[in-house]
């Protein structure tokens, strides 16, 4: 999606444009319409429409095709409709020196909160074992213990990770977080960097991955990593499939070390029909729906970011290219 600024009626200068690049046409149309209503000074265009390239000032994108940005010499910023920006940062034609803004949206935060609470509670209450017993008509009471006895570990303490950690804490779970650099977060024990990873894993019974995909997090969850979790731990991945080595997870589950996994994201999406995850009794999969950006609030975030950039203010969600998120 490209936003193009169009001419104000009283002048002959054409408006600048915001270009929208989203592969699904219905979704692209909905975003164009919402943004156009919020950005009267711009023409909001689709990347499939012929648009003078030098008019395009902002690009609003989701999984843009490789090289997309190279076509727009006047681009001021790239606005992602998702929280993850690895597809933008890895584009070989990404212009230097322009801002990249990731999505920060209340609906996205609440959606992830619900997903994390749902699946942590499901493992905490040992619901998969109850479901297996039901399949066999087995009356099998299980005392799951209380949340205060359950140690949950969240990897990635950004907007989504901190929110999930806070809500799990308020249910009484013992919550720790792991991030790149040390930080003090109320009510959450924070482990940092490679130095803090082993201790974080050793105390974590339910692991939730909300990490951005960067060179440092790609395939972080491998065989060695999984071994450092206590026997019987469960893994929830709602960030990026590439943070996890799929075969290592399968082996760790099949050996009995890892009790189960809930995965929303995969190295290949859609997950191929012959993938072993589909039918594995200890794996729950969801089709990358843990949390979705809402059109209304998401478009407001983008309009606010454009207003901030035009006024030389730092927009919410400004990405650090060095950090990769
Ligand atoms: C979804 O995966 C996102 O990055 O928002």
């Amino acid at each position: 999606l490209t936003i193009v600024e169009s001419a104000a009626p009283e002048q002959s200068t054409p408006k600048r444009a915001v270009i929208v690049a989203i592969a699904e046409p219905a979704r692209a149309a909905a975003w164009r319409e919402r943004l156009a209503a919020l950005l009267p000074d711009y023409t909001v265009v689709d990347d499939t429409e012929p648009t003078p390239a030098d008019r395009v000032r902002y690009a609003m994108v989701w999984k843009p095709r490789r090289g997309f940005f190279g076509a727009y010499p006047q681009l001021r910023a790239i606005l992602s409709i998702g929280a993850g920006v690895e597809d933008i940062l890895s584009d070989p034609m990404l212009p230097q020196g322009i801002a990249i803004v990731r999505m920060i949206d209340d609906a996205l935060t609440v959606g992830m909160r619900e997903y994390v609470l749902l699946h942590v509670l499901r493992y905490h209450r040992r619901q998969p074992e109850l479901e297996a017993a039901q399949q066999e008509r087995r009356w099998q009471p299980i005392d799951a213990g209380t949340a205060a006895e359950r140690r949950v570990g969240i990897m990635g303490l950004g907007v989504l990770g901190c929110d999930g950690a806070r809500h799990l804490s308020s249910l009484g779970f013992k919550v720790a977080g792991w991030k790149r650099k040390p930080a003090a977060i109320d009510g959450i024990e924070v482990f940092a960097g490679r130095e803090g990873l082993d201790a974080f894993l050793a105390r974590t019974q339910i692991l939730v991955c909300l990490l951005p995909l960067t060179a440092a997090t790609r395939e972080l969850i491998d065989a060695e990593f999984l071994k450092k979790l206590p026997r019987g731990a469960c893994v929830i991945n709602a960030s990026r499939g590439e943070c996890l080595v799929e075969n290592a997870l399968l082996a760790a589950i099949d050996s009995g070390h890892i009790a189960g996994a809930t995965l929303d994201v995969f190295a290949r999406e859609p997950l191929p029909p012959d993938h072993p995850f589909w039918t594995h009794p200890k794996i729950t999969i969801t089709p990358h729906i843990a949390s979705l950006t809402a059109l209304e609030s998401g478009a407001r975030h983008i309009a606010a970011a454009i207003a901030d950039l035009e006024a030389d203010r730092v927009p919410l969600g400004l990405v650090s290219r060095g950090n990769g998120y």
Side-chain angles (χ1 to χ4, degrees), residues 276-287:
F277 284 171
W278 281 111
T279 50
H280 198 294
K282 302 256 172 81
I283 294 180
T284 299
I285 68 158
T286 52

Side-chain angles (χ1 to χ4, degrees), residues 263-277:
L263 308 170
D264 185 55
V265 288
F266 306 91
R268 250 186 84 195
E269 294 178 10
L271 188 67
D274 59 352
H275 198 290
F277 284 171

Side-chain angles (χ1 to χ4, degrees), residues 189-201:
E189 190 181 359
V190 179
F191 294 81
R194 287 279 169 171
E195 321 78 76
L197 187 57
D198 288 10
F200 168 77
L201 295 177

